[in-house]
Amino acid sequence: MTATAFEYGPHHAFTHPGAVADDSAAPWWPAPAGAPDGDYLLAPPDPARRIDTTIDPRDRRRLELHAALTAAGIPPRPEDREAIESLSALSGSINTTIQRWLHHTL
């Protein structure tokens, strides 16, 4: 006894991606049942509705300092938190210099 796939199920239209009339046309897939023939995918996101993901410069310096220490083979310990917070409060140029020193230790 042999059975074929979808023998008893609904009959779906199928278009093979390589079966196009000419080489320049993109393959066409039929829309699902009940959907319009146009594009049924989600619309592109609206930039005006995006979440504000700006990071405070002090927090960015703290994260960069953590990353630089870890990359240099000096993973920060919990007791180092106060020192890292103090260093992150300094200006961006000082933080950049500290990171440069750490990168030269690699």
Side-chain angles (χ1 to χ4, degrees):
M1 177 170 129
T2 60
T4 59
F6 306 112
E7 183 176 357
Y8 300 105
H11 300 288
H12 298 287
F14 175 73
T15 303
H16 189 274
V20 292
D22 60 358
D23 293 336
S24 64
W28 173 82
W29 293 93
D37 285 336
D39 189 11
Y40 58 91
L41 299 176
L42 294 175
D46 181 15
R49 297 183 65 202
R50 291 186 180 175
I51 299 173
D52 184 21
T53 58
T54 56
I55 299 176
D56 183 45
R58 182 176 179 168
D59 290 335
R60 182 177 300 277
R61 288 191 296 266
R62 180 177 48 80
L63 292 171
E64 290 172 352
L65 187 57
H66 270 277
L69 284 166
T70 303
I74 312 165
R77 296 183 182 169
E79 58 267 15
D80 299 338
R81 184 175 180 174
E82 183 180 348
I84 291 173
E85 288 294 328
S86 298
L87 289 171
S88 299
L90 299 173
S91 70
S93 61
I94 293 174
N95 196 277
T96 303
T97 303
I98 292 170
Q99 291 181 39
R100 182 172 41 89
W101 292 343
L102 288 170
H103 286 294
H104 284 296
T105 62
L106 297 178

